[in-house]
């Protein structure tokens, strides 16, 4: 029986894991997924770290040491997350070397509360780049409008960037332009462009969740027929824009100087509606030069029963545009949908970060008191 994961990689998709924890590192789970499931990268976010640090006792030893030093919660959080990401970079280093830096990447996100502060985002990105100190690191920067200049500045400064929380096609256009600006500035200062990398993370399934809810309120036969079509259509039209970018004279000039394209990355690829196939946001978005970052459950579902069609993107551009034309005629406001998703996405990551920092502060105080009683 053919291995669907091999088929995906043969067709040009890089398979990344959307998860990281100390337990996954210590147990060898990450190394096993790299060896047996063709995982060539890792993405993280505040929600992932919040889940990891509040489950089990894998972080207890490091938390005890931080508590003994009197480290504040915000700095402790940075120490814990960069430790995990540095270790994951080491696990993926061979992949990075074998693929000449294309894959083997691990992403860590700037504090999401800084998403609307350009200068603070740049400073945080520089600090994380220095702390992790691995060439296969990606700094995740949200694609909020204030994040766009930060993307350009970081790339110009030699920092590889994963642009996250992209929902709209117009915002993706702005992200690609920020990438080009950054690479052009890096070239002007004499940087080796071949060492710089970037991905643009398009969040997929959440668009269906929001659009389907609006279609359900409309309730007509056509509305029901359009359920579950918006997310794939959005991603396919994004890939069409990527193809236009890499055919542009502006990109060709950078490519001639050694630059590599900013690859589209499909994020939020677990299926939220149980009525949909659990592999749909993977097997229906396969094309050369894309990345798909999956939770482990989705990864194993694809490995177990994924069926990869001959062409799931380029043959569907016209159909994808028709989906949005029909949605517009039904009164679905695309701009309102994607702005709502961006705002909710940033707010959710902020809430996870704040919750984790508060929990960590409580844990550090309790750990410090426990250590004091033992002295």
């Amino acid at each position: 029986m053919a291995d669907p994961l091999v088929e995906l990689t043969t067709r040009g998709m890089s398979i990344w894991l959307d998860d990281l924890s100390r337990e996954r590192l210590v147990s060898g789970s990450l190394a096993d997924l790299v060896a047996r499931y063709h995982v060539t990268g890792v993405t993280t976010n505040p929600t992932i770290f919040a889940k990891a640090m509040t489950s089990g006792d894998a972080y207890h030893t490091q938390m005890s040491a931080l508590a003994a030093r009197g480290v504040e919660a915000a700095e402790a959080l940075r120490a814990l997350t960069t430790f995990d990401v540095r270790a994951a970079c080491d696990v993926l280093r061979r992949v990075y070397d074998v693929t000449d830096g294309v894959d083997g990447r691990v992403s860590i996100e700037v504090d999401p509360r800084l998403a609307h502060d350009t200068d603070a985002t740049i400073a945080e990105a520089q600090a994380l780049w220095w702390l992790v100190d691995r060439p296969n690191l990606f700094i995740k920067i949200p694609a909020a409008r204030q994040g766009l200049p930060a993307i350009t500045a970081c790339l110009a400064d030699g920092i590889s960037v994963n642009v996250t929380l992209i929902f709209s096609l117009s915002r993706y256009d702005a992200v690609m332009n920020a990438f080009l600006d950054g690479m052009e500035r890096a070239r002007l200062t004499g940087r080796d462009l071949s060492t710089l990398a970037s991905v643009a993370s398009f969040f997929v399934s959440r668009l269906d969740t929001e659009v389907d809810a609006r279609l359900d309120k409309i309730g007509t036969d056509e509305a029901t027929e359009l359920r579950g079509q918006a997310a794939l259509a959005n991603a396919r039209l994004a890939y069409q824009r990527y193809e236009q970018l890499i055919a542009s004279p502006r990109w060709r000039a950078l490519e001639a100087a050694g630059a590599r394209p900013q690859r589209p990355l499909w994020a939020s690829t677990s299926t939220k509606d149980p009525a949909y196939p659990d592999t749909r946001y993977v097997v229906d978005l396969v094309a050369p030069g894309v990345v798909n970052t999956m939770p482990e459950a989705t990864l194993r579902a694809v490995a177990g029963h994924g069926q990869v069609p001959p062409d799931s993107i380029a043959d569907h551009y016209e159909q994808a545009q028709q989906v949005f034309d029909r949605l517009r005629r039904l009164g679905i406001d695309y701009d309102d949908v994607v702005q709502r998703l961006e705002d909710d996405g940033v707010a959710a990551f902020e809430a996870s970060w704040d919750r984790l920092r508060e929990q960590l502060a409580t844990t550090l105080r309790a750990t410090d008191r426990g250590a004091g009683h033992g002295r």
Side-chain angles (χ1 to χ4, degrees), residues 112-145:
R113 297 168 303 169
L114 307 178
H116 301 294
D117 187 329
T118 300
D119 291 340
T121 295
I122 295 170
E124 176 80 356
Q126 291 169 333
L128 291 171
W129 186 258
W130 176 80
L131 281 167
V132 175
D133 192 27
R134 295 293 187 272
N136 51 331
L137 178 68
F138 268 140
I139 303 297
K140 289 180 80 171
I141 298 176
R145 283 184 295 275

Side-chain angles (χ1 to χ4, degrees), residues 23-59:
E23 176 61 31
R24 192 179 285 285
L25 290 163
V26 171
S27 68
S29 166
L30 176 58
D32 182 66
L33 292 174
V34 171
R36 298 177 56 225
Y37 284 82
H38 308 280
V39 168
T40 59
V42 170
T43 50
T44 68
N45 61 49
T47 302
I48 285 172
F49 277 127
K51 179 181 177 182
M53 291 184 194
T54 54
S55 304
D57 58 0
Y59 294 89

Side-chain angles (χ1 to χ4, degrees), residues 22 35 61 80 113 133 158 163 195 270 289 313 330 353:
R22 187 69 53 86
T61 299
L80 293 163
R113 297 168 303 169
D133 192 27
V163 185
T195 65
S270 62
I313 293 188
L330 284 176
W353 203 256

Side-chain angles (χ1 to χ4, degrees), residues 148-160:
L148 298 173
I151 295 162
T152 296
C154 287
L155 287 165
D157 200 33
I159 296 172
S160 293

Side-chain angles (χ1 to χ4, degrees), residues 76 85 191:
V85 168
R191 292 193 180 277

Side-chain angles (χ1 to χ4, degrees), residues 16 107 138 161-164 175 197-201 262-265 291:
W16 290 9
S107 298
F138 268 140
V161 175
N162 175 344
V163 185
T164 188
V175 166
S198 183
V199 292
S201 295
Q262 181 188 56
R263 294 186 292 169
L265 181 150
V291 179

